[in-house]
Amino acid sequence: MSFTLKLGQKAPDFHLPATDGKVYGLNNFKTYDTLVIFFTCNHCPYVIGSDEVTRKTAEKFVSKNVGFVAINSNSEKTYPEDSFDHMVERMKNNRFPWTYLYDKSQDVARSYGALRTPHFYVFNKERVLIYTGRGVDSPRNTSKMTVNDLENALNEHLSGKPISVALTNPIGCNVKWEGKDAHWMPADACDLV
């Protein structure tokens, strides 16, 4: 069995605190026809390098009823910069167009099978997984980007076409698991593609 959620599977529910002081579950995003959930953090150079591309994608699709939800599951013991307080500060400074949730227990990261930061999951209206993997092919340095897989998947889905590339390997830092070495990955993480 693969560690990561498979195409065609339903989005696992969650109840997580956000940087805006509220607690959110899947039901809070039910008005969106398409939902992008992505695992991210505060410190990762791949996240920081691609934040503005992700912002542009979120802003481009908001009028098409696509919601974006970011989840930080990194252990703050591994990287103190990934603490909730730093999340609040990051959202205040950057004003990203998504809800930023904190998965301190890492249970949500486990239920989705998040491997890296960033790692994107796109769900349709029924919250069935239709795309998972990377956002772009060069997240650390988007000046070298040649493809935006996330945007391509959203464009195809919203135009009623099948997603031509529905599964890619996420590119980024690995999720920082509590009690594990900073570079630890699940044994079956290579089963993604």
Side-chain angles (χ1 to χ4, degrees):
M1 182 178 134
S2 175
F3 180 77
T4 300
L5 202 64
K6 295 280 194 195
L7 293 170
Q9 289 186 300
K10 296 276 272 188
D13 202 359
F14 50 79
H15 291 91
L16 296 174
T19 55
D20 64 6
K22 300 175 185 172
V23 174
Y24 291 85
L26 270 181
N27 204 40
N28 294 104
F29 306 102
K30 66 183 177 184
T31 57
Y32 293 109
D33 291 331
T34 307
L35 188 63
V36 177
I37 295 175
F38 64 107
F39 289 82
T40 186
C41 65
N42 301 326
H43 86 276
C44 172
Y46 296 89
V47 167
I48 294 165
S50 58
D51 271 339
E52 291 309 311
V53 171
T54 305
R55 180 199 299 274
K56 285 179 189 166
T57 301
E59 289 172 345
K60 178 178 179 179
F61 288 96
V62 70
S63 64
K64 297 176 181 179
N65 207 25
V66 177
F68 276 68
V69 176
I71 301 175
N72 174 18
S73 299
N74 274 3
S75 168
E76 65 182 278
K77 290 180 183 171
T78 308
Y79 275 91
E81 308 98 294
D82 287 333
S83 72
F84 185 74
D85 288 343
H86 283 101
M87 289 172 58
V88 172
E89 182 181 334
R90 185 161 153 72
M91 284 298 279
K92 182 180 174 186
N93 292 339
N94 292 285
R95 301 184 183 276
F96 291 124
W98 49 73
T99 305
Y100 196 12
L101 307 176
Y102 187 41
D103 176 27
K104 186 177 176 81
S105 71
Q106 303 186 308
D107 289 342
V108 178
R110 276 189 283 277
S111 68
Y112 279 75
L115 296 172
R116 300 195 178 275
T117 55
H119 189 165
F120 293 86
Y121 298 79
V122 179
F123 297 93
N124 65 14
K125 182 70 173 172
E126 291 73 39
R127 298 303 177 249
V128 170
L129 185 65
I130 57 172
Y131 172 83
T132 186
R134 67 191 188 188
V136 300
D137 64 343
S138 182
R140 191 169 183 155
N141 183 356
T142 54
S143 69
K144 296 180 179 178
M145 179 177 86
T146 62
V147 64
N148 187 327
D149 291 285
L150 176 62
E151 200 160 295
N152 290 345
L154 289 170
N155 278 324
E156 289 175 341
H157 170 62
L158 294 170
S159 63
K161 298 176 186 170
I163 296 173
S164 53
V165 180
L167 187 63
T168 60
N169 275 315
I171 300 171
C173 299
N174 58 301
V175 172
K176 307 307 179 197
W177 298 99
E178 186 81 25
K180 301 286 186 185
D181 176 86
H183 302 288
W184 182 85
M185 292 281 284
D188 54 359
C190 297
D191 294 344
L192 181 60
V193 293

